[in-house]
């Protein structure tokens, strides 16, 4: 009896499609405000399902039963429901590579320049700062970039930015995830680097702690930072799983940080108002009320998840900074970002996106609950804003933006995304 290599190759393609389909489902599930126990169970189940179902199929249909790996025929002997699922897997397997290539080739929206340098924090320290937290096994994975840091200066042309604000700079940090696995010296070095980058404004977009006792790390990390327009934060879904978020907020405020969760505030820069607002939806609080925002003022939304983009567009947000998706944490060739817990999957895993009237920048973040980063290093970014020069695409976008701003003033204060 000879091996049917074609059927074996088909099986491998279908197994890849099955894995991509399961990951897509798990990403959408993790975008929802579900209890942590359900999310953990679903993640464990997904590990099993990705491996066990293809193994069972290979045994019962590939070797036994219709023996697809040994015969020329046999697919028709499979149950209709299984054939339907295999068709879904086939569609996913065929769709994933072109989607990944298109995303890979996509240029960051409205980005004028990018200057990056990769810092190997472990090499600088002279040792690997790995503590006794969970998932230590991942730190041994070959090629893991979890102790590196991509420090970037990115310039963007921003519609509606006042000419007086040319060069306005924002330091964006996200997803520190203090778990104890990546030890404190790594984060202190990140803070030291951040402190050496002069900016007008500092923003943290959530997921600070996975262990409440590590709030003690804050003075030596985020507590070191300051800026003329202040340091502003929201918390993330991982913070929401802790028992005392009020204590975390209080500690950050003692260190001079401003809590933007579900609220807005106005600061003046070069004689013009800047509206700062924040969102921890869908995990905590409500969306900010912009009813008292000065008309025509530039609006900056600090959001944990990029999934608040729809709300941002509806409310005339000019610039939205987000994190949460960690860039996918693992980026595979022909697949792209893997774990991106968003209702849009990996679409907004990281980078800059222009969806009129909002420019959204999504950080890959600095860490993660799982200390695994493959082809997706941690990120610390300084955004430098430039007024948008005239161009048809911007002018068209601004017209849409103005129309939506009018709509927003009639629907402000909605707690819904
Ligand atoms: Fe996170």
């Amino acid at each position: 009896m000879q091996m049917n290599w074609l059927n074996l190759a088909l099986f491998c393609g279908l197994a890849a499609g099955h894995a991509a389909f399961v990951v897509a489902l798990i990403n959408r599930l993790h975008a929802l405000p579900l209890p942590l126990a359900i999310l953990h169970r679903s993640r464990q189940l997904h590990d099993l399902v990705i491996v066990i179902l293809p193994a069972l199929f290979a045994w019962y249909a590939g070797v036994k039963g219709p023996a697809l790996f040994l015969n020329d025929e046999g697919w028709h002997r499979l149950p209709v429901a299984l054939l339907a699922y295999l068709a879904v897997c086939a569609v996913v397997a065929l769709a994933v590579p072109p989607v990944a290539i298109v995303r890979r080739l996509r240029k960051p929206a409205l980005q004028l320049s990018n200057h990056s340098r990769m810092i190997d924090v472990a090499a600088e320290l002279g040792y690997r700062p790995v503590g006794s937290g969970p998932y230590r096994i991942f730190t041994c994975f070959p090629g893991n970039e979890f102790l590196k840091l991509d420090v970037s200066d990115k310039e963007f042309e921003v519609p509606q930015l006042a000419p007086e604000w040319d060069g306005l700079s924002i330091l964006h940090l996200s997803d520190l995830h203090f778990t104890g696995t990546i030890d404190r010296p790594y984060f202190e070095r990140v803070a030291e680097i951040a402190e050496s980058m002069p900016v007008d404004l500092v923003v943290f977009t959530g997921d600070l702690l996975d262990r409440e006792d590590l709030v003690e790390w804050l003075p030596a990390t985020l507590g070191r930072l300051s800026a003329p327009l202040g340091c502003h934060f929201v918390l993330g879904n991982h913070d929401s799983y802790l028992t005392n978020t009020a204590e975390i907020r209080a500690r950050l405020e003692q260190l001079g940080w401003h809590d933007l969760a579900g609220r807005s505030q106005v600061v003046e820069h070069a004689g013009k108002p800047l509206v700062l607002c924040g969102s921890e939806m869908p995990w905590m609080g409500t969306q900010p009320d912009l009813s008292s925002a000065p008309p025509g003022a530039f609006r900056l939304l600090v959001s944990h998840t990029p999934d608040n983009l729809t709300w941002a567009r509806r409310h005339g947000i000019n610039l939205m900074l987000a994190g949460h998706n960690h860039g996918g944490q693992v980026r595979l060739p022909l697949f792209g970002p893997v774990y991106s817990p968003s209702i849009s999957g990996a679409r907004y895993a990281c980078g800059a996106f222009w969806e009129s009237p909002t420019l959204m920048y999504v950080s890959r973040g600095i860490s993660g609950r799982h200390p695994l980063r493959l082809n997706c290093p941690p990120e610390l970014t300084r955004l430098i804003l430039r007024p948008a020069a005239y161009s048809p695409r911007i002018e068209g976008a601004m017209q849409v933006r103005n129309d939506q701003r009018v709509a927003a003033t009639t629907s402000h204060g909605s707690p819904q995304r």
Side-chain angles (χ1 to χ4, degrees):
M1 199 171 289
Q2 279 199 332
M3 179 68 79
N4 186 323
W5 294 105
L6 178 61
N7 278 353
L8 191 62
L10 275 173
F11 163 75
C12 291
L14 291 170
H18 162 71
F21 183 65
V22 173
V23 167
L25 288 180
I26 213 77
N27 279 340
R28 270 92 183 157
L29 195 68
H30 278 69
L32 305 175
L34 297 173
L36 192 57
I38 292 176
L39 296 176
H40 279 172
R41 288 283 173 272
S42 68
R43 185 67 179 258
Q44 290 160 350
L45 188 65
H46 128 286
D47 293 343
L48 288 173
V49 164
I50 281 184
V51 175
I52 285 181
L53 286 188
L56 287 175
F57 180 87
W59 179 249
Y60 286 108
V63 179
K64 302 289 184 183
L68 295 169
F69 297 167
L70 305 172
N71 295 317
D72 287 338
E73 297 183 7
W75 292 97
H76 65 281
R77 291 173 57 190
L78 298 176
V80 173
L82 179 56
L83 284 172
Y85 182 66
L86 292 177
V88 170
C89 294
V91 169
V92 174
L94 291 171
V96 164
V99 169
I101 290 168
V102 167
R103 284 181 181 161
R104 180 88 181 173
L105 296 176
R106 187 188 70 83
K107 288 190 168 61
L110 306 188
Q111 186 172 301
L112 297 169
S113 70
N114 176 34
H115 300 284
S116 288
R117 60 191 167 115
M118 190 67 75
I119 295 177
D120 188 335
V121 176
E124 283 192 353
L125 293 173
Y127 65 97
R128 284 160 48 91
V130 175
S132 56
Y135 304 110
R136 284 188 66 181
I137 187 77
F138 288 119
T139 65
C140 303
F141 203 90
N144 193 347
E145 300 165 304
F146 73 108
L147 292 176
K148 295 192 173 174
L149 186 67
D150 179 9
V151 182
S152 296
D153 277 317
K154 297 182 194 294
E155 266 186 314
F156 292 96
E157 54 175 347
V158 183
Q160 293 291 334
L161 191 80
E164 297 90 335
W165 288 8
D166 187 12
L168 179 72
S169 55
I170 304 171
L171 187 65
H172 183 195
L173 303 96
S174 195
D175 296 87
L176 286 168
H177 283 276
F178 295 164
T179 66
T181 306
I182 302 176
D183 217 347
R184 177 172 167 159
Y186 172 82
F187 297 104
E188 288 178 351
R189 179 66 186 127
V190 171
E192 191 180 15
I193 295 164
E195 195 180 14
S196 71
M197 300 168 74
V199 285
D200 296 305
L201 182 73
V202 180
V203 159
F204 175 68
T205 47
D207 274 1
L208 178 56
L209 300 166
D210 287 75
R211 261 177 54 187
E212 229 155 297
D213 59 312
L214 298 183
V215 74
E216 299 303 329
W217 292 8
L218 288 179
T221 53
L222 292 187
R224 296 176 63 154
L225 306 182
S226 63
L229 298 180
C231 299
H232 304 267
F233 75 94
V234 294
L235 298 180
N237 56 312
H238 282 257
D239 304 304
S240 77
Y241 304 141
L242 302 173
T243 52
N244 196 351
T245 52
E247 163 73 9
I248 299 166
R249 295 182 199 281
R251 292 296 290 270
L252 277 169
E253 287 183 321
Q254 285 166 12
L255 294 168
W257 283 71
H258 303 283
D259 185 1
L260 284 178
R263 55 187 289 266
S264 65
Q265 72 174 90
V266 180
V267 296
E268 286 262 319
H269 181 57
K272 291 184 176 295
L274 165 62
V275 178
L276 294 161
C277 55
S279 174
E280 297 171 350
M281 289 282 281
W283 297 282
M284 290 184 283
T286 60
Q287 301 290 22
D289 181 356
L290 296 174
S291 57
S292 58
F298 192 90
R299 297 179 175 190
L300 167 58
L301 173 67
V302 179
S303 169
H304 181 56
T305 175
D307 289 350
N308 285 318
L309 177 60
T310 305
W311 183 91
R313 296 180 67 196
R314 216 185 295 140
H315 290 79
I317 298 295
N318 302 93
L319 177 64
M320 172 177 169
L321 301 177
H324 182 57
N325 288 343
H326 301 190
Q329 283 208 206
V330 174
R331 301 166 73 89
L332 300 175
L334 292 181
F335 191 96
V338 179
Y339 293 110
S340 183
S342 162
I343 52 174
S344 302
R347 181 175 177 184
Y348 303 118
C350 62
F353 305 88
W354 166 251
E355 294 200 13
S356 178
T358 305
L359 172 63
M360 176 171 74
Y361 186 77
V362 184
S363 170
R364 294 191 302 272
I366 289 166
S367 184
R369 180 169 169 77
H370 297 83
L372 179 65
R373 295 249 179 191
L374 298 177
N375 197 23
C376 188
E379 168 185 349
L380 176 65
T381 294
R382 176 167 52 188
L383 296 94
I384 300 159
L385 311 186
R386 304 289 183 197
Y390 171 83
S391 75
R393 66 185 170 126
I394 296 294
E395 188 183 60
M398 285 168 62
Q399 184 56 51
V400 176
R401 176 191 175 283
N402 290 334
D403 294 345
Q404 293 186 343
R405 170 71 60 85
V406 170
T409 56
T410 61
S411 61
H412 56 69
S414 166
Q416 304 302 316
R417 276 183 302 157

